[in-house]
Amino acid sequence: MSNKNKSTLHEKKGVSQPETTSKLSAQKIKLNRAKKNSVNEFVDKILEGNITFLSRAITLVESTNAKHQQKSNEILEQCLPYANNSVRIGITGVPGVGKSTFIEAYGRHLTSKGKKVAVLAVDPSSSVNKGSILGDKTRMEQLVTDKNAFIRPSPSGTSLGGVAQKTRESIILCEAAGFDTILIETVGVGQSETLVHSMVDFFLLLKLAGAGDELQGIKRGIIEMADAIVINKADGDNEKNTKIAKVEFNRALHLYPLKESKWQPKVLTASALKNIGITEVDEMIQQYFELTKANNYFSQKRNDQNKYWLMSTIERQLKDNFYTNPKIKLALDKEIKNLENAKTTPFNAAKRLLKFD
Ligand SMILES: Nc1nc2c(ncn2[C@@H]2O[C@H](COP(=O)(O)OP(=O)(O)OP(=O)(O)O)[C@@H](O)[C@H]2O)c(=O)[nH]1
């Protein structure tokens, strides 16, 4: 924590000569700017739970500017010791399943219990269209005005891996700012679920009841990752179908061996729109945390996730460095020509390129 160096300029306010005054105000502006920009100031404010500074720090995290990245790295390192006191919940499901409506209902349930909830997103399309999920915050009308909630749309990035890294770093900042429950929304349409799964403690899959075809089109991988399936829109005419779907999903989940967490994934039904079943979902999630904290799986999983992110960041960085090196680009073009002319094998070409400096 920084020692806030309160300016003594106020004490000198009585100075009357214009030259000295302008010198002083220039000094004051400089001092203010330095203060505004200082890493310690950021850290102090974040730890106080100041949302403006939290948002600004996340903006630094998301920036591609090298100076901003340097600063955000320093802020992150200082915030890290204060950042482990939360639960991280991933929420996925196909577009239209009701993720935003569910997060609004669940988030409000949590804040009514005195929790502080941060909502982040990982959106595979955000590198293309600057973020869509959570982009429109008005979809969470009530949560967005809740003083115990913080909603941040998906960062945009050059790759999904980059977006995921930024989200992971934002989680740390939110936790340091006192948010004890982090909800991470992602669209259930591709690799993003795997990435979100590797940054959360609990992974929730939202589903809709279909007409007898519950298990069709469901990716085996997602079912395997899910700690719970919540069948949403269990209201009105849909209620009967929901009951059938629940039996089907339960059967499907029981086909998998018991997870390392020793948690048997559950199937619940809810209506996010009508606020039905949300308490039950919360109770189930709390049971999961009780179990996995007692059997140490919770901390073991976080350690494993850290290792995974270390390795995947190294891989990504090595790859980026390699392919953006202009000398390597030239050598690569040459080797491709050699391949086309049958002058070398892919393996020998790769060996030469990897030794290239
Ligand atoms: N009947 C009913 N409708 C719901 C329920 N939950 C959400 N909806 C409606 O379903 C539509 C989609 O809801 P969203 O919350 O925007 O769904 P989403 O999964 O966030 O959608 P994307 O942002 O496109 O991924 C909206 O019209 C909601 O009002 C529910 O429990 N019951």
Side-chain angles (χ1 to χ4, degrees), residues 61-182:
V61 160
E62 292 172 357
S63 169
T64 48
N65 174 302
K67 274 190 189 155
H68 293 168
Q69 284 182 353
Q70 169 68 26
K71 188 182 285 175
S72 70
N73 288 342
E74 287 173 31
I75 297 170
L76 278 164
E77 294 268 357
Q78 288 198 46
C79 282
L80 202 55
Y82 307 91
N84 225 8
N85 219 354
S86 77
V87 291
R88 305 166 185 171
I89 300 167
I91 296 168
T92 192
V94 294
V97 70
K99 294 181 294 297
S100 303
T101 316
F102 179 83
I103 289 171
E104 163 103 333
Y106 185 42
R108 293 192 67 227
H109 174 79
L110 290 169
T111 58
S112 75
K113 286 192 349 180
K115 299 277 180 195
K116 288 194 75 188
V117 179
V119 184
L120 306 173
V122 172
D123 183 356
S125 64
S126 64
S127 37
V128 183
N129 64 10
K130 303 274 183 207
S132 59
I133 50 174
L134 297 183
D136 178 10
K137 287 193 195 177
T138 53
R139 292 190 307 159
M140 296 181 193
E141 282 173 350
Q142 291 172 332
L143 199 59
V144 84
T145 58
D146 191 324
K147 67 174 177 26
N148 284 322
F150 172 73
I151 301 176
R152 181 87 182 186
S154 178
S156 55
T158 48
S159 67
L160 185 54
V163 169
Q165 182 192 332
K166 289 167 190 178
T167 306
R168 258 185 68 90
E169 293 178 346
S170 301
I171 292 175
I172 292 168
L173 296 175
C174 289
E175 291 176 352
F179 289 94
D180 49 43
T181 309
I182 316 290

